């Protein structure tokens, strides 16, 4: 690999199941491709409102397609995704604002070190998109953070600051940054190539992404393909 690693930013929300698929694949390729992966917690509801997009769950045929597609995508990408019993209530009533503020707070605290952001993101996805558990209440967020390896004392500190203005502003600014790149949904990946950003929407553009950054796509399990 060359010394210059291409910056790849993943804008995501744990409310988005397709974001989980994209997240896991990029985490797997982090040390396979010559990239500097940066995780960018973003608010999906802000993207949808700001872009004027309509959630697929509000379009009957899209909703039916998504229900089928998520199952086969989960099997292909080997992600333990299970749709919640009342997915409409989870996505459109409960939302993910507190969870994304918590991820933002951890990201701000761990600038340049994304291990805890990765672990916490995965645990939040496991709660909502595997075990059909809450991600909105303080006790739920605390349990997820503890499972992600964050100390109880620090969890308490983080829960105190997720409603602070700096954390609110940071999540808003990241969401606006995604909008500035042309986001209309999540996940959105931005690859910085020769000083220029290339935006990819969704979790099914990895072949094209690899081509654009001069790498090779070898399937959803790159380490297995090396055996």
């Amino acid at each position: 690999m060359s010394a210059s690693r291409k910056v790849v930013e993943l804008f995501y929300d744990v409310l988005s199941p397709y974001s989980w698929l994209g997240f896991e694949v990029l985490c797997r390729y982090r040390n396979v491709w010559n990239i500097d992966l940066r995780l960018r917690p973003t608010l999906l509801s802000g993207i949808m409102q700001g872009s004027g997009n309509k959630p697929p769950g509000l379009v009957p045929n899209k909703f039916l397609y998504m229900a089928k597609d998520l199952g086969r995508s989960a099997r292909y990408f080997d992600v333990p995704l299970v749709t919640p019993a009342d997915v409409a209530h989870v996505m459109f009533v409960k939302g993910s604002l507190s969870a994304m503020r918590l991820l933002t707070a951890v990201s701000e605290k761990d600038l340049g070190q994304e291990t805890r952001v990765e672990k916490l993101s995965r645990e939040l996805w496991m709660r909502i998109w595997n075990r059909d558990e809450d991600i909105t209440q303080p006790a739920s967020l605390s349990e997820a953070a503890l499972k992600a390896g964050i100390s109880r004392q620090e969890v308490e500190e983080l829960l105190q600051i997720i409603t602070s203005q700096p954390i609110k502003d940071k999540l808003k600014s990241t969401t606006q940054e995604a909008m500035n790149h042309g986001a209309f949904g999540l996940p959105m990946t931005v690859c910085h190539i020769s000083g220029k950003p290339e935006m990819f929407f969704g979790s099914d553009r990895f072949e094209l992404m690899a081509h654009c950054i001069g790498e090779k796509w070898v399937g959803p399990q790159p380490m297995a393909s090396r055996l």
Side-chain angles (χ1 to χ4, degrees):
M1 291 185 176
S2 66
S4 178
R5 298 169 70 84
K6 294 181 177 67
V7 172
V8 173
E9 299 179 283
L10 175 65
F11 294 82
Y12 68 96
D13 187 325
V14 296
L15 196 62
S16 160
Y18 287 103
S19 285
W20 191 9
L21 303 179
F23 169 92
E24 294 294 359
V25 170
L26 286 175
C27 285
R28 293 169 191 167
Y29 272 87
R30 170 188 276 137
N31 296 315
V32 176
W33 289 347
N34 188 28
I35 62 172
D36 175 10
L37 178 62
R38 301 181 184 179
L39 302 175
R40 306 296 306 278
T42 310
L43 193 62
L44 178 59
S45 60
I47 295 290
M48 301 302 285
Q49 182 178 1
S51 66
N53 196 3
K54 183 181 291 188
L58 299 182
V59 181
N61 281 354
K62 281 187 178 181
F63 181 79
L64 292 173
Y65 173 81
M66 187 175 77
K68 180 179 180 179
D69 186 60
L70 280 175
R72 64 189 178 192
S73 295
R75 292 188 295 272
Y76 174 69
F77 289 112
D78 192 20
V79 174
L81 192 155
V82 180
T83 302
D86 189 348
V87 66
H89 183 75
V90 167
M91 297 194 72
F92 305 131
V93 178
K94 299 181 76 172
S96 61
L97 179 60
S98 294
M100 298 317 295
R101 284 178 177 170
L102 177 60
L103 281 168
T104 298
V106 175
S107 180
E108 286 295 279
K109 194 166 187 178
D110 295 358
L111 287 175
Q113 301 292 328
E114 303 206 322
T115 301
R116 299 199 306 175
V117 175
E118 177 182 339
K119 289 181 178 179
L120 179 56
S121 298
R122 186 173 290 115
E123 182 53 39
L124 288 166
W125 267 306
M126 285 295 293
R127 290 187 68 86
I128 185 174
W129 286 102
N130 178 267
R131 302 191 297 268
D132 196 4
E133 296 174 347
D134 176 70
I135 62 163
T136 65
Q137 298 301 313
S140 304
L141 298 176
S142 177
E143 184 177 342
L146 289 169
K147 285 189 175 182
I150 302 174
S151 71
R152 187 171 299 277
Q153 178 181 346
E154 191 172 0
V155 169
E156 293 175 357
E157 294 171 356
L158 287 165
L159 291 178
Q160 289 293 321
I161 66 171
I162 62 173
T163 56
S164 68
Q165 200 59 47
I167 296 302
K168 290 181 179 180
D169 290 345
K170 179 60 180 180
L171 182 57
K172 287 179 181 178
S173 68
T174 301
T175 302
Q176 184 59 53
E177 187 177 342
M179 291 283 296
N180 294 344
H181 282 299
F184 52 88
L186 296 174
M188 183 189 75
T189 306
V190 177
C191 300
H192 296 267
I193 306 167
S194 300
K196 296 181 179 179
E198 289 280 349
M199 187 269 273
F200 301 87
F201 170 72
S203 56
D204 58 354
R205 291 292 184 268
F206 295 113
E207 299 95 329
L208 182 58
M209 190 185 303
H211 172 75
C212 289
I213 65 175
E215 297 287 352
K216 185 178 181 181
W217 167 255
V218 293
Q221 296 283 5
M223 301 310 294
S225 69
R226 291 183 166 189
L227 301 178

